[in-house]
Amino acid sequence: MRRALALAATPGVPMVADTRRVGCVLLDDAGRTIAEGFHAGPGTPHAEAAALAAAADSAAGTTAVVTLEPCDHTGRTGPCTQALIAAGVRRVVFAEPDANPTAAGGQARLEAAGIEVVSGLLADEAAALKRVYDVARAEQRPFVTWKLAATLDGRSAAADGTSRWVSGTAARRDTHRLRALCDTMLVGTGTVLVDDPLLTVRDAEDRPLAVQPLRAVMGRRDLPADRRVLNSDAQTVLLRTRDPREALAQLWARGRQHVFLEGGPTLAAAFVRAGLVDEIVCYVAPFFLGAGLSSVADLGIGTLAEAFRPRVADVVVLEPVVEGEEPNVRFILTPQHPADHQERE
């Protein structure tokens, strides 16, 4: 099941509003892997169908290990239950039931066909994988991951404006890994004008992935034609608004499910104040600047009792991969959801 979960989280796979990440592994009676598959985005075969296609005539008698209960409806593709039955799969093990009423009923269909079904294996880990999907559907807007890099005293740039690089090479590679799990990169016009970012996903050798997230720039200012975000490396959309809710509404209308917010401190503060941050990824570098640009702008907080206090979900020390660099610490934090940090007047 852990292999199926890893397949479900394959980087570079575009997931839009109504699409789930799912992985599937087919095993023989000795526990050997016969074939694997994962859902590669809207309109592509579901994980089970992809694994069955890879197995060809070897699927009969196997056990299908799937992160999600096989669907029992026809949408962009046919029902996975029928494909498993037709292939002669003997046993199905899945992590969590499908809560979507349109697709549910797979277990009953499989059992009626004489297939043994086991549910609940690593259900908690599978639930964590689908949190983005659940929040997006519940809120009817994209899930927002805010990424920032800061020094020990909370600075994202020095007093002279230099910010390359606050984080180390290991942190930047980790950032690209996380970017690859999102379908949209979001910054403000100020970041584009000052930093001229490329906003693409690249591997450890700085090569771009074949599938790139949508690049979104929000704000009312026009962008010079020579900005790198306007090149042909990925699709870019300009959101002519300064309102975070309106920006997310426009992205939701485009079918976007997961936004990676990499804008500057002003844009970050606007999303935090609006209660529109669902996850925070913070890289902390082990040095002080004492002055310079804060990692987040004014949140309207006047006293310690009003502090914005997300819950620490994970802490990892990222060891240096380049000689001479120092370790960075990555924090993953989760605000209460639905947000209890309502927008302050």
Side-chain angles (χ1 to χ4, degrees):
M1 183 62 77
R2 286 199 168 85
R3 176 56 185 163
L5 288 166
L7 289 167
T10 298
V13 174
M15 288 291 132
V16 297
D18 62 346
T19 313
R20 288 284 305 273
R21 293 185 177 275
V22 182
C24 177
V25 179
L26 297 180
L27 304 174
D28 65 14
D29 286 341
R32 293 184 294 258
T33 298
I34 299 300
E36 299 178 339
F38 61 89
H39 188 203
T44 66
H46 286 187
E48 300 94 319
L52 291 172
D57 296 333
S58 301
T62 60
T63 293
V65 181
V66 196
T67 58
L68 180 68
E69 178 185 11
C71 69
D72 192 43
H73 83 298
T74 300
R76 296 187 183 97
T77 60
C80 291
T81 52
Q82 297 299 335
L84 292 166
I85 293 167
V89 169
R90 177 180 63 82
R91 184 169 178 258
V92 172
V93 178
F94 66 83
E96 57 167 347
D98 196 331
N100 183 348
T102 303
Q107 179 172 357
R109 178 78 65 181
L110 293 170
E111 289 176 337
I115 295 176
E116 178 188 354
V117 180
V118 178
S119 64
L121 181 61
L122 299 185
D124 288 346
E125 294 184 34
L129 183 68
K130 75 182 183 77
R131 180 168 175 262
V132 169
Y133 173 86
D134 286 346
V135 171
R137 283 179 60 87
E139 300 293 315
Q140 289 294 287
R141 62 161 176 81
F143 183 98
V144 176
T145 295
W146 168 34
K147 173 261 175 181
L148 69 153
T151 62
L152 286 170
D153 53 346
R155 306 294 177 178
S156 62
D160 65 356
T162 55
S163 61
R164 296 172 69 98
W165 295 97
V166 168
S167 57
T169 303
R172 294 194 294 276
R173 289 182 181 177
D174 192 61
T175 295
H176 280 280
R177 178 184 65 83
L178 296 177
R179 280 182 175 184
L181 298 177
C182 302
D183 57 48
T184 306
M185 299 288 302
L186 177 61
V187 297
T189 52
T191 293
V192 173
L193 293 171
V194 174
D195 296 336
D196 192 22
L198 191 56
L199 292 184
T200 56
V201 180
R202 300 178 294 280
D203 63 16
E205 282 70 45
D206 205 37
R207 297 172 301 200
L209 296 190
V211 178
Q212 291 290 335
L214 173 71
R215 300 180 294 196
V217 182
M218 64 177 286
R220 299 197 182 107
R221 287 180 287 182
D222 292 328
L223 300 178
D226 63 351
R227 297 292 90 175
R228 297 197 298 167
V229 77
L230 299 177
N231 67 19
S232 60
D233 290 356
Q235 182 184 358
T236 300
V237 61
L238 303 181
L239 309 175
R240 297 290 189 172
T241 180
R242 293 175 182 162
D243 179 359
R245 293 188 185 279
E246 172 59 26
L248 292 183
Q250 290 186 38
L251 292 171
W252 183 253
R254 290 175 172 268
R256 302 293 98 183
Q257 183 187 101
H258 192 176
V259 166
F260 202 69
L261 178 65
E262 284 210 57
T266 301
L267 187 62
F271 272 80
V272 172
R273 287 171 63 100
L276 294 173
V277 172
D278 303 297
E279 178 182 62
I280 303 168
V281 178
C282 178
Y283 299 96
V284 180
F287 60 88
F288 296 86
L289 287 172
L293 190 66
S294 173
S295 58
V296 64
D298 182 17
L299 296 178
I301 295 171
T303 179
L304 189 61
E306 298 177 351
F308 173 48
R309 299 178 185 272
R311 179 180 63 85
V312 177
D314 187 49
V315 182
V316 174
V317 177
L318 300 172
E319 297 295 342
V321 296
V322 174
E323 185 177 355
E325 290 189 342
E326 296 176 318
N328 285 182
V329 179
R330 186 197 67 201
F331 292 86
I332 295 182
L333 307 106
T334 307
Q336 295 296 314
H337 199 86
D340 63 353
H341 45 282
Q342 298 300 319
E343 183 173 4
R344 298 177 174 87
E345 297 297 328

Coordinates of all heavy atoms in Angstrom, one line a residue, residues 206-290:
D206 N 18.2 20.9 -12.6 CA 17.6 22.1 -13.1 C 17.0 21.9 -14.4 O 16.8 22.9 -15.2 CB 18.7 23.3 -13.2 CG 18.0 24.6 -13.1 OD1 17.0 24.8 -12.3 OD2 18.5 25.6 -13.8
R207 N 16.5 20.7 -14.7 CA 15.8 20.5 -16.0 C 14.3 20.6 -15.7 O 13.8 20.1 -14.7 CB 16.1 19.1 -16.5 CG 17.6 18.9 -16.9 CD 17.9 17.4 -17.2 NE 17.6 16.6 -16.0 CZ 18.1 15.3 -15.9 NH1 18.9 14.8 -16.8 NH2 17.7 14.6 -14.8
P208 N 13.6 21.3 -16.6 CA 12.1 21.4 -16.4 C 11.4 20.1 -16.5 O 11.7 19.3 -17.4 CB 11.7 22.4 -17.4 CG 12.7 22.3 -18.5 CD 14.0 21.9 -17.8
L209 N 10.3 19.9 -15.7 CA 9.5 18.8 -15.8 C 8.6 18.9 -17.1 O 8.4 20.0 -17.6 CB 8.6 18.6 -14.6 CG 9.2 18.3 -13.3 CD1 8.1 17.9 -12.3 CD2 10.2 17.2 -13.4
A210 N 8.2 17.8 -17.6 CA 7.4 17.8 -18.9 C 6.1 18.5 -18.7 O 5.6 19.2 -19.6 CB 7.2 16.4 -19.4
V211 N 5.4 18.3 -17.5 CA 4.1 18.9 -17.2 C 4.4 20.0 -16.2 O 4.9 19.8 -15.1 CB 3.1 17.9 -16.7 CG1 1.8 18.5 -16.3 CG2 2.9 16.7 -17.7
Q212 N 4.0 21.2 -16.5 CA 4.2 22.4 -15.6 C 2.9 22.9 -15.1 O 1.8 22.9 -15.7 CB 4.8 23.5 -16.4 CG 6.3 23.2 -16.8 CD 7.2 23.2 -15.6 OE1 7.0 23.8 -14.6 NE2 8.3 22.5 -15.8
P213 N 2.9 23.4 -13.8 CA 1.7 24.0 -13.3 C 1.4 25.3 -14.0 O 2.2 25.9 -14.7 CB 2.1 24.3 -11.8 CG 3.3 23.5 -11.5 CD 4.0 23.3 -12.9
L214 N 0.1 25.7 -13.9 CA -0.3 27.0 -14.4 C 0.4 28.1 -13.6 O 0.5 28.0 -12.4 CB -1.8 27.2 -14.3 CG -2.4 28.6 -14.6 CD1 -2.3 28.8 -16.1 CD2 -3.8 28.6 -14.1
R215 N 1.0 29.1 -14.3 CA 1.6 30.3 -13.6 C 0.5 31.4 -13.5 O 0.0 31.8 -14.6 CB 2.8 30.8 -14.3 CG 3.9 29.7 -14.4 CD 5.1 30.2 -15.1 NE 4.9 30.5 -16.5 CZ 5.9 30.6 -17.5 NH1 7.1 30.5 -17.1 NH2 5.6 30.9 -18.7
A216 N 0.2 31.8 -12.3 CA -0.8 32.9 -12.1 C -0.2 34.1 -11.5 O 0.5 33.9 -10.5 CB -2.0 32.3 -11.3
V217 N -0.5 35.3 -12.0 CA 0.0 36.5 -11.4 C -1.1 37.4 -11.1 O -1.9 37.7 -12.0 CB 1.0 37.2 -12.4 CG1 1.6 38.5 -11.8 CG2 2.1 36.3 -12.9
M218 N -1.3 37.8 -9.9 CA -2.4 38.6 -9.5 C -2.0 40.0 -9.2 O -0.9 40.3 -8.6 CB -3.2 38.0 -8.3 CG -2.5 37.9 -7.0 SD -3.6 37.3 -5.7 CE -4.6 38.7 -5.3
G219 N -2.8 41.0 -9.6 CA -2.5 42.4 -9.4 C -3.0 43.2 -10.6 O -3.3 42.6 -11.6
R220 N -3.1 44.5 -10.4 CA -3.6 45.4 -11.5 C -2.6 46.0 -12.4 O -2.9 46.5 -13.4 CB -4.5 46.5 -10.9 CG -5.6 45.9 -10.1 CD -6.7 47.0 -9.8 NE -7.8 46.5 -9.0 CZ -8.0 46.8 -7.8 NH1 -7.2 47.7 -7.1 NH2 -9.0 46.3 -7.1
R221 N -1.3 45.9 -12.0 CA -0.2 46.5 -12.8 C 0.1 45.6 -14.1 O 0.0 44.4 -14.0 CB 1.0 46.6 -12.0 CG 1.0 47.7 -11.0 CD 2.3 47.9 -10.2 NE 2.4 46.8 -9.2 CZ 3.5 46.7 -8.4 NH1 4.4 47.6 -8.5 NH2 3.5 45.7 -7.6
D222 N 0.4 46.3 -15.2 CA 0.8 45.6 -16.4 C 2.2 45.0 -16.2 O 3.0 45.6 -15.5 CB 0.8 46.5 -17.6 CG -0.6 46.9 -18.0 OD1 -1.6 46.1 -17.7 OD2 -0.8 48.1 -18.4
L223 N 2.5 44.0 -16.9 CA 3.9 43.4 -16.9 C 4.6 43.6 -18.2 O 4.1 43.5 -19.2 CB 3.8 41.9 -16.7 CG 3.0 41.4 -15.4 CD1 3.0 39.9 -15.4 CD2 3.7 41.9 -14.1
P224 N 5.9 44.0 -18.1 CA 6.7 44.1 -19.3 C 6.8 42.8 -20.0 O 6.8 41.7 -19.5 CB 8.1 44.5 -18.7 CG 7.9 45.0 -17.4 CD 6.7 44.3 -16.8
A225 N 6.8 42.9 -21.3 CA 6.8 41.7 -22.2 C 8.0 40.8 -22.0 O 7.9 39.6 -22.4 CB 6.6 42.1 -23.7
D226 N 9.1 41.3 -21.4 CA 10.3 40.5 -21.3 C 10.3 39.7 -20.0 O 11.3 39.1 -19.7 CB 11.5 41.4 -21.4 CG 11.6 42.4 -20.3 OD1 10.6 42.6 -19.5 OD2 12.7 43.1 -20.1
R227 N 9.3 39.8 -19.1 CA 9.3 39.0 -17.9 C 9.3 37.6 -18.2 O 8.5 37.1 -19.1 CB 8.1 39.4 -17.0 CG 8.0 40.8 -16.5 CD 9.1 41.2 -15.5 NE 10.3 41.7 -16.2 CZ 11.4 42.1 -15.6 NH1 11.4 42.1 -14.2 NH2 12.4 42.6 -16.2
R228 N 10.1 36.8 -17.5 CA 10.3 35.4 -17.8 C 9.0 34.6 -17.6 O 8.8 33.5 -18.2 CB 11.4 34.8 -16.9 CG 12.7 35.4 -17.2 CD 13.9 34.5 -16.7 NE 13.8 34.3 -15.2 CZ 14.5 33.4 -14.6 NH1 15.3 32.6 -15.2 NH2 14.4 33.3 -13.2
V229 N 8.1 35.1 -16.7 CA 6.8 34.4 -16.4 C 5.9 34.4 -17.6 O 5.0 33.6 -17.7 CB 6.2 35.0 -15.2 CG1 5.5 36.3 -15.5 CG2 5.2 34.0 -14.6
L230 N 6.2 35.2 -18.6 CA 5.4 35.3 -19.8 C 6.0 34.5 -21.0 O 5.5 34.5 -22.1 CB 5.3 36.8 -20.3 CG 4.6 37.7 -19.3 CD1 4.6 39.1 -19.8 CD2 3.2 37.2 -19.0
N231 N 7.1 33.7 -20.7 CA 7.7 32.9 -21.8 C 6.8 31.7 -22.1 O 5.8 31.5 -21.5 CB 9.1 32.6 -21.5 CG 9.3 31.6 -20.3 OD1 8.3 30.9 -19.9 ND2 10.5 31.6 -19.8
S232 N 7.3 30.8 -23.0 CA 6.5 29.7 -23.4 C 6.8 28.4 -22.6 O 6.3 27.4 -22.9 CB 6.8 29.4 -24.9 OG 8.2 29.1 -25.0
D233 N 7.5 28.5 -21.5 CA 7.9 27.4 -20.7 C 6.6 26.7 -20.0 O 6.6 25.6 -19.7 CB 8.9 27.7 -19.6 CG 10.3 28.0 -20.2 OD1 10.4 27.8 -21.4 OD2 11.2 28.4 -19.5
A234 N 5.6 27.6 -19.7 CA 4.4 27.1 -19.1 C 3.3 28.1 -19.4 O 3.6 29.3 -19.8 CB 4.6 27.0 -17.6
Q235 N 2.1 27.7 -19.2 CA 1.0 28.6 -19.4 C 0.9 29.7 -18.3 O 1.2 29.3 -17.1 CB -0.4 27.9 -19.5 CG -1.6 28.7 -19.7 CD -2.9 27.9 -19.7 OE1 -2.9 26.7 -19.5 NE2 -4.0 28.6 -19.9
T236 N 0.5 30.9 -18.6 CA 0.4 32.0 -17.6 C -0.9 32.7 -17.7 O -1.4 32.9 -18.8 CB 1.6 33.0 -17.7 OG1 2.8 32.3 -17.6 CG2 1.5 34.1 -16.7
V237 N -1.5 33.0 -16.6 CA -2.7 33.7 -16.6 C -2.6 34.9 -15.7 O -1.9 34.9 -14.6 CB -3.9 32.9 -16.1 CG1 -3.7 32.4 -14.7 CG2 -5.2 33.7 -16.2
L238 N -3.1 36.1 -16.1 CA -3.0 37.3 -15.3 C -4.4 37.5 -14.6 O -5.4 37.6 -15.3 CB -2.7 38.5 -16.2 CG -1.4 38.4 -17.0 CD1 -1.1 39.7 -17.8 CD2 -0.2 38.2 -16.1
L239 N -4.4 37.6 -13.3 CA -5.6 37.8 -12.5 C -5.7 39.3 -12.1 O -4.9 39.7 -11.2 CB -5.6 36.9 -11.3 CG -5.3 35.4 -11.5 CD1 -5.2 34.7 -10.2 CD2 -6.4 34.8 -12.4
R240 N -6.5 40.0 -12.8 CA -6.5 41.5 -12.6 C -7.3 41.8 -11.3 O -8.4 42.5 -11.4 CB -7.2 42.1 -13.8 CG -6.4 41.9 -15.1 CD -5.1 42.7 -15.1 NE -4.4 42.7 -16.4 CZ -3.3 43.4 -16.7 NH1 -2.8 44.2 -15.8 NH2 -2.8 43.3 -17.9
T241 N -6.8 41.5 -10.2 CA -7.4 41.8 -8.9 C -6.4 41.7 -7.8 O -5.3 41.1 -8.0 CB -8.5 40.7 -8.6 OG1 -9.1 41.0 -7.3 CG2 -7.9 39.3 -8.5
R242 N -6.7 42.4 -6.7 CA -5.8 42.4 -5.5 C -6.5 41.7 -4.4 O -6.0 41.6 -3.3 CB -5.5 43.8 -5.1 CG -4.6 44.6 -6.0 CD -4.4 46.0 -5.6 NE -3.5 46.7 -6.6 CZ -3.5 48.0 -6.6 NH1 -4.2 48.8 -5.8 NH2 -2.7 48.6 -7.5
D243 N -7.7 41.1 -4.7 CA -8.5 40.4 -3.7 C -8.2 39.0 -3.7 O -8.5 38.3 -4.7 CB -10.0 40.7 -4.0 CG -10.9 40.0 -3.0 OD1 -10.5 39.3 -2.1 OD2 -12.2 40.2 -3.2
P244 N -7.7 38.4 -2.7 CA -7.4 36.9 -2.7 C -8.6 36.1 -3.0 O -8.5 35.1 -3.7 CB -6.9 36.7 -1.3 CG -6.3 38.0 -0.8 CD -7.2 39.0 -1.4
R245 N -9.8 36.4 -2.5 CA -10.9 35.6 -2.7 C -11.3 35.6 -4.2 O -11.7 34.6 -4.8 CB -12.1 36.1 -1.9 CG -11.9 35.8 -0.4 CD -13.2 36.1 0.4 NE -13.0 36.0 1.8 CZ -12.9 34.8 2.5 NH1 -13.2 33.7 1.8 NH2 -12.7 34.8 3.8
E246 N -11.2 36.8 -4.8 CA -11.5 36.9 -6.2 C -10.5 36.1 -7.1 O -10.9 35.4 -8.0 CB -11.6 38.3 -6.7 CG -11.7 38.6 -8.2 CD -13.0 38.0 -8.8 OE1 -14.0 37.8 -8.0 OE2 -13.0 37.7 -10.0
A247 N -9.2 36.2 -6.7 CA -8.2 35.5 -7.4 C -8.5 34.0 -7.4 O -8.4 33.2 -8.4 CB -6.8 35.8 -6.8
L248 N -8.8 33.4 -6.2 CA -9.1 32.0 -6.0 C -10.3 31.6 -6.8 O -10.4 30.5 -7.3 CB -9.2 31.6 -4.5 CG -7.9 31.7 -3.7 CD1 -8.1 31.3 -2.3 CD2 -6.7 30.9 -4.4
A249 N -11.3 32.5 -6.8 CA -12.6 32.2 -7.5 C -12.3 32.1 -9.0 O -12.8 31.2 -9.7 CB -13.6 33.3 -7.3
Q250 N -11.4 32.9 -9.5 CA -11.1 32.8 -10.9 C -10.3 31.5 -11.2 O -10.5 30.9 -12.3 CB -10.2 34.1 -11.3 CG -11.0 35.4 -11.4 CD -10.1 36.5 -11.9 OE1 -9.3 36.3 -12.8 NE2 -10.2 37.7 -11.3
L251 N -9.4 31.2 -10.3 CA -8.7 29.9 -10.5 C -9.6 28.7 -10.4 O -9.4 27.7 -11.1 CB -7.5 29.8 -9.5 CG -6.4 30.9 -9.8 CD1 -5.4 30.9 -8.6 CD2 -5.7 30.6 -11.1
W252 N -10.5 28.7 -9.4 CA -11.5 27.6 -9.3 C -12.3 27.5 -10.6 O -12.6 26.4 -11.0 CB -12.3 27.9 -8.1 CG -13.3 26.8 -7.8 CD1 -14.7 26.8 -7.9 CD2 -13.1 25.5 -7.2 NE1 -15.3 25.7 -7.5 CE2 -14.3 24.8 -7.0 CE3 -11.9 24.9 -6.8 CZ2 -14.4 23.6 -6.5 CZ3 -12.0 23.6 -6.2 CH2 -13.2 23.0 -6.1
A253 N -12.7 28.6 -11.2 CA -13.5 28.6 -12.4 C -12.7 27.9 -13.5 O -13.3 27.4 -14.5 CB -13.9 30.0 -12.8
R254 N -11.4 28.0 -13.4 CA -10.5 27.3 -14.4 C -10.2 25.9 -14.1 O -9.4 25.2 -14.7 CB -9.2 28.1 -14.5 CG -9.3 29.4 -15.2 CD -8.0 30.2 -15.1 NE -8.0 31.4 -15.9 CZ -7.7 31.5 -17.2 NH1 -7.2 30.4 -17.8 NH2 -7.7 32.6 -17.8
G255 N -10.8 25.4 -13.0 CA -10.6 24.0 -12.6 C -9.4 23.7 -11.8 O -9.0 22.6 -11.6
R256 N -8.8 24.8 -11.2 CA -7.6 24.6 -10.4 C -8.0 24.1 -9.0 O -8.9 24.5 -8.4 CB -6.9 25.9 -10.2 CG -6.4 26.6 -11.5 CD -5.4 25.8 -12.2 NE -5.9 25.0 -13.3 CZ -5.2 24.1 -14.0 NH1 -3.9 24.0 -13.8 NH2 -5.8 23.4 -15.0
Q257 N -7.1 23.1 -8.5 CA -7.4 22.5 -7.2 C -6.4 22.9 -6.1 O -6.7 22.9 -4.9 CB -7.4 21.0 -7.3 CG -7.7 20.2 -6.1 CD -7.5 18.7 -6.3 OE1 -6.5 18.1 -5.9 NE2 -8.5 18.1 -6.9
H258 N -5.1 23.2 -6.5 CA -4.1 23.4 -5.4 C -3.1 24.5 -5.9 O -2.4 24.4 -6.9 CB -3.3 22.1 -5.3 CG -2.4 22.1 -4.1 ND1 -1.6 20.9 -3.7 CD2 -2.0 23.0 -3.2 CE1 -0.9 21.2 -2.6 NE2 -1.2 22.5 -2.3
V259 N -3.1 25.6 -5.1 CA -2.3 26.8 -5.4 C -1.1 26.8 -4.5 O -1.2 26.6 -3.3 CB -3.1 28.0 -5.2 CG1 -2.2 29.3 -5.1 CG2 -4.2 28.2 -6.3
F260 N 0.1 27.0 -5.1 CA 1.3 27.1 -4.4 C 1.6 28.6 -4.4 O 2.0 29.2 -5.4 CB 2.4 26.3 -5.1 CG 3.6 26.0 -4.2 CD1 3.4 25.1 -3.2 CD2 4.8 26.5 -4.4 CE1 4.5 24.7 -2.4 CE2 5.9 26.2 -3.6 CZ 5.7 25.3 -2.6
L261 N 1.4 29.2 -3.2 CA 1.6 30.7 -3.1 C 3.0 31.0 -2.8 O 3.5 30.7 -1.7 CB 0.7 31.2 -2.0 CG 0.7 32.7 -1.6 CD1 0.2 33.5 -2.8 CD2 -0.2 33.0 -0.4
E262 N 3.7 31.7 -3.7 CA 5.1 32.1 -3.5 C 5.3 33.6 -3.7 O 6.4 34.0 -4.0 CB 6.0 31.3 -4.5 CG 6.2 29.8 -4.2 CD 7.6 29.3 -4.6 OE1 8.6 29.9 -4.3 OE2 7.6 28.3 -5.4
G263 N 4.3 34.3 -3.5 CA 4.4 35.8 -3.6 C 5.2 36.4 -2.4 O 5.6 35.7 -1.5
G264 N 5.3 37.7 -2.5 CA 6.1 38.4 -1.4 C 5.3 38.6 -0.1 O 4.1 38.1 0.0
P265 N 5.8 39.3 0.8 CA 5.2 39.5 2.1 C 3.8 40.1 2.1 O 2.9 39.8 2.9 CB 6.2 40.3 2.9 CG 7.1 40.9 1.9 CD 7.1 40.0 0.8
T266 N 3.6 41.1 1.2 CA 2.3 41.7 1.1 C 1.2 40.8 0.7 O 0.1 40.7 1.2 CB 2.4 43.0 0.1 OG1 3.4 43.9 0.6 CG2 1.0 43.7 0.1
L267 N 1.5 40.0 -0.4 CA 0.5 39.1 -0.9 C 0.2 38.0 0.1 O -0.9 37.6 0.4 CB 1.0 38.4 -2.2 CG 0.0 37.5 -2.9 CD1 -1.3 38.3 -3.3 CD2 0.6 36.9 -4.1
A268 N 1.3 37.5 0.8 CA 1.1 36.5 1.8 C 0.2 37.0 3.0 O -0.7 36.3 3.4 CB 2.5 36.1 2.4
A269 N 0.5 38.2 3.4 CA -0.3 38.8 4.5 C -1.8 38.9 4.1 O -2.7 38.7 4.9 CB 0.2 40.2 4.9
A270 N -2.0 39.3 2.8 CA -3.4 39.4 2.4 C -4.2 38.1 2.4 O -5.3 38.0 2.9 CB -3.4 39.9 0.9
F271 N -3.5 37.0 2.1 CA -4.1 35.6 2.2 C -4.3 35.2 3.6 O -5.3 34.6 4.0 CB -3.3 34.6 1.4 CG -3.6 34.5 -0.1 CD1 -3.1 35.5 -1.0 CD2 -4.5 33.6 -0.6 CE1 -3.5 35.4 -2.3 CE2 -4.8 33.5 -1.9 CZ -4.3 34.4 -2.8
V272 N -3.3 35.5 4.5 CA -3.5 35.1 5.9 C -4.6 35.9 6.5 O -5.4 35.3 7.2 CB -2.1 35.3 6.6 CG1 -2.3 35.1 8.1 CG2 -1.1 34.4 6.1
R273 N -4.7 37.2 6.3 CA -5.7 38.0 6.9 C -7.1 37.6 6.4 O -8.1 37.7 7.1 CB -5.5 39.5 6.5 CG -4.3 40.1 7.3 CD -4.0 41.5 6.7 NE -5.2 42.4 6.9 CZ -5.3 43.4 7.8 NH1 -4.3 43.5 8.7 NH2 -6.3 44.1 7.9
A274 N -7.2 37.1 5.2 CA -8.5 36.6 4.6 C -8.8 35.2 5.1 O -9.9 34.7 4.7 CB -8.4 36.7 3.1
G275 N -7.9 34.5 5.8 CA -8.2 33.2 6.2 C -8.2 32.2 5.1 O -8.9 31.2 5.1
L276 N -7.3 32.4 4.1 CA -7.3 31.6 2.9 C -6.0 30.8 2.7 O -5.6 30.5 1.6 CB -7.5 32.5 1.7 CG -8.9 33.1 1.6 CD1 -9.0 34.1 0.4 CD2 -10.0 32.1 1.5
V277 N -5.2 30.6 3.8 CA -4.1 29.8 3.8 C -4.4 28.4 4.5 O -4.8 28.4 5.6 CB -2.9 30.4 4.5 CG1 -1.7 29.5 4.6 CG2 -2.4 31.7 3.7
D278 N -4.2 27.3 3.8 CA -4.5 26.0 4.3 C -3.3 25.2 4.8 O -3.5 24.3 5.6 CB -5.2 25.2 3.2 CG -6.5 25.9 2.7 OD1 -7.4 26.1 3.5 OD2 -6.5 26.2 1.5
E279 N -2.1 25.6 4.3 CA -0.9 24.9 4.7 C 0.2 25.9 4.5 O 0.2 26.7 3.6 CB -0.7 23.7 3.8 CG 0.6 22.9 4.0 CD 0.7 21.8 3.1 OE1 0.8 22.0 1.8 OE2 0.8 20.6 3.5
I280 N 1.2 25.8 5.4 CA 2.4 26.7 5.3 C 3.6 25.8 5.3 O 3.8 24.9 6.1 CB 2.5 27.7 6.5 CG1 1.2 28.5 6.7 CG2 3.7 28.6 6.4 CD1 1.1 29.2 8.0
V281 N 4.5 26.1 4.3 CA 5.8 25.4 4.2 C 6.8 26.5 4.4 O 7.0 27.4 3.6 CB 6.0 24.7 2.9 CG1 7.4 24.1 2.8 CG2 4.9 23.7 2.6
C282 N 7.6 26.4 5.5 CA 8.5 27.4 5.9 C 9.9 26.9 6.0 O 10.1 25.9 6.8 CB 8.1 28.1 7.2 SG 9.2 29.3 7.8
Y283 N 10.8 27.4 5.2 CA 12.2 27.0 5.3 C 13.0 28.1 6.1 O 12.9 29.3 5.8 CB 12.8 26.9 3.9 CG 12.2 25.9 3.0 CD1 11.2 26.2 2.1 CD2 12.5 24.5 3.1 CE1 10.5 25.3 1.3 CE2 11.9 23.6 2.3 CZ 10.9 24.0 1.4 OH 10.3 23.0 0.7
V284 N 13.7 27.6 7.1 CA 14.4 28.6 8.0 C 15.9 28.3 7.8 O 16.4 27.2 8.0 CB 14.0 28.4 9.5 CG1 14.8 29.3 10.4 CG2 12.5 28.6 9.6
A285 N 16.6 29.4 7.5 CA 18.1 29.3 7.3 C 18.7 29.8 8.6 O 18.3 30.7 9.3 CB 18.5 30.3 6.2
P286 N 19.9 29.1 9.0 CA 20.5 29.4 10.3 C 21.4 30.6 10.3 O 22.6 30.5 10.6 CB 21.3 28.1 10.5 CG 21.7 27.7 9.2 CD 20.5 28.0 8.2
F287 N 20.8 31.8 10.1 CA 21.6 33.0 10.2 C 20.6 34.2 10.5 O 19.4 34.1 10.3 CB 22.5 33.3 9.0 CG 21.8 33.5 7.7 CD1 21.3 34.7 7.3 CD2 21.6 32.4 6.9 CE1 20.7 34.9 6.1 CE2 21.0 32.5 5.6 CZ 20.5 33.8 5.2
F288 N 21.2 35.3 11.0 CA 20.5 36.5 11.3 C 20.9 37.6 10.3 O 22.0 37.6 9.9 CB 20.8 36.9 12.7 CG 20.3 36.0 13.8 CD1 21.2 35.0 14.2 CD2 19.1 36.1 14.4 CE1 20.8 34.1 15.2 CE2 18.7 35.3 15.4 CZ 19.5 34.2 15.8
L289 N 19.9 38.5 10.1 CA 20.2 39.7 9.3 C 20.1 41.0 10.1 O 20.8 41.9 9.9 CB 19.3 39.8 8.0 CG 19.7 38.8 6.9 CD1 18.6 38.8 5.8 CD2 21.0 39.1 6.3
G290 N 19.1 40.9 11.1 CA 18.9 42.1 11.9 C 18.1 43.2 11.3 O 17.6 44.1 12.0

